[in-house]
């Protein structure tokens, strides 16, 4: 069974903390994504990576950075957490075989910044 | 730029009734469209996809969608819903380079 695993289901952090959200996939996919999900806004792309050490900004990259040192792992970093980053974060991976490939999602990390 | 619009934020329906969830897209290039479902406290999973060919696409759990190029729509339908279909449904378009753009979601509420 294919899997995208996010390290935490729930996180509570304080304003100003540096926060790491981890995502691991076991499908040998080239492409990995971080989305943020908010009510009424759907999923918005924060960053994506199409290869190890390669990354590109998505639609809402401000306040975030990412790291991809190994193919299977993609980390989202909040350099200095703020309350407006309280959200559900979803990681996804997808093979580089064209537009017909399915994106596989993790179960999400619900982050609360207090 | 490619985008999708889901006009209905919430659709209440009784069990065994038919349902249609609406999705409209905007794109000036070839379109690849998807519907994903998110059950409570879970990630998203693929329901169905349209790439080319037949405009009627069948997916899992009895869902189907029809691609209509003239109306730029990709509505999701099911002839008879179950309580277990209660979930949030997202329409998405492939923007290229494997990036998916999602709509704002439609919450389907099935009651007995």
């Amino acid at each position: 069974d294919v899997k995208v695993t996010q390290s935490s289901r729930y996180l509570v952090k304080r304003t100003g903390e540096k926060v790491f959200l981890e995502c691991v996939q076991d499908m040998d996919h080239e492409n990995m994504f971080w989305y943020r999900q908010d009510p009424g806004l759907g999923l918005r792309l924060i960053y994506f990576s199409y290869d190890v050490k390669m990354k590109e900004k998505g639609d809402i990259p401000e306040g975030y950075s990412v790291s991809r040192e190994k193919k299977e792992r993609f980390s989202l970093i909040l350099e200095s957490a703020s309350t407006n980053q309280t959200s559900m974060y979803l990681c996804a991976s997808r093979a580089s075989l064209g537009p017909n490939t399915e994106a596989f999602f993790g179960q999400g990390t619900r982050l609360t910044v207090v | 730029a490619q985008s999708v619009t889901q006009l209905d934020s919430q659709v209440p329906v009784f069990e065994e009734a038919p349902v249609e969830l609406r999705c409209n897209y905007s794109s000036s290039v070839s379109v690849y469209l998807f519907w994903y479902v998110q059950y409570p406290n879970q990630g998203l999973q693929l329901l169905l996809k349209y790439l080319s060919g037949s405009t009627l696409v069948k997916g899992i759990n009895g869902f189907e969608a029809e691609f209509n190029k003239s109306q730029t729509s990709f509505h999701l339908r099911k002839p008879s819903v179950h309580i277990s279909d209660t979930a949030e449904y997202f329409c998405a378009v492939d923007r290229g380079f494997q990036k998916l753009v999602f709509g704002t979601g439609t919450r389907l509420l099935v009651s007995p």
Side-chain angles (χ1 to χ4, degrees):
Chain A
D1 211 13
V2 296
K3 249 186 188 168
V4 178
T5 303
Q6 295 183 229
S7 54
S8 303
R9 291 296 303 274
Y10 300 94
L11 273 179
V12 180
K13 296 292 181 180
R14 294 194 181 278
T15 302
E17 272 193 79
K18 190 169 186 176
V19 181
F20 293 85
L21 303 184
E22 308 286 347
C23 175
V24 176
Q25 50 99 1
D26 64 0
M27 296 164 282
D28 202 35
H29 285 168
E30 293 83 2
N31 304 292
M32 296 187 74
F33 307 83
W34 276 106
Y35 287 90
R36 169 178 174 157
Q37 182 180 9
D38 298 289
L41 297 177
L43 279 73
R44 293 178 291 166
L45 182 63
I46 304 171
Y47 265 97
F48 71 101
S49 168
Y50 51 90
D51 202 350
V52 174
K53 297 190 186 295
M54 306 303 285
K55 60 186 179 184
E56 283 201 22
K57 294 179 180 179
D59 299 317
I60 53 164
E62 296 78 19
Y64 303 94
S65 62
V66 290
S67 172
R68 193 162 180 206
E69 297 296 318
K70 294 184 177 181
K71 191 175 186 180
E72 67 270 19
R73 186 180 297 270
F74 191 36
S75 302
L76 180 69
I77 304 157
L78 286 66
E79 297 290 342
S80 177
S82 64
T83 54
N84 63 13
Q85 293 178 310
T86 291
S87 186
M88 171 71 88
Y89 291 87
L90 291 167
C91 175
S93 74
R94 203 176 175 195
S96 283
L97 300 173
N100 61 334
T101 58
E102 178 179 351
F104 292 88
F105 284 82
Q107 290 193 296
T109 297
R110 186 168 295 280
L111 173 67
T112 302
V113 182
V114 297
Chain B
Q2 293 164 310
S3 68
V4 291
T5 302
Q6 293 181 250
L7 291 171
D8 305 306
S9 60
Q10 192 164 287
V11 174
V13 65
F14 289 109
E15 195 173 19
E16 298 183 8
V19 71
E20 178 180 84
L21 306 184
R22 297 181 294 168
C23 172
N24 288 88
Y25 68 90
S26 64
S27 173
S28 58
V29 297
S30 296
V31 178
Y32 306 105
L33 293 160
F34 304 79
W35 275 99
Y36 281 80
V37 60
Q38 184 180 34
Y39 297 106
N41 299 314
Q42 294 188 27
L44 277 70
Q45 65 183 82
L46 182 67
L47 265 181
L48 49 80
K49 59 188 176 188
Y50 171 79
L51 304 175
S52 63
S54 173
T55 57
L56 185 62
V57 180
K58 293 193 183 297
I60 62 172
N61 300 339
F63 284 92
E64 62 182 30
E66 185 161 16
F67 173 68
N68 188 319
K69 190 173 182 179
S70 62
Q71 297 185 7
T72 60
S73 67
F74 189 54
H75 300 335
L76 181 71
R77 301 186 182 105
K78 186 169 182 178
S80 176
V81 295
H82 301 124
I83 296 284
S84 59
D85 292 323
T86 294
E88 190 152 21
Y89 293 80
F90 292 92
C91 184
V93 62
D94 189 291
R95 185 191 277 178
F97 300 104
Q98 303 297 313
K99 288 182 285 183
L100 289 173
V101 176
F102 288 86
T104 51
T106 298
R107 190 171 298 276
L108 178 64
L109 299 170
V110 183
S111 52

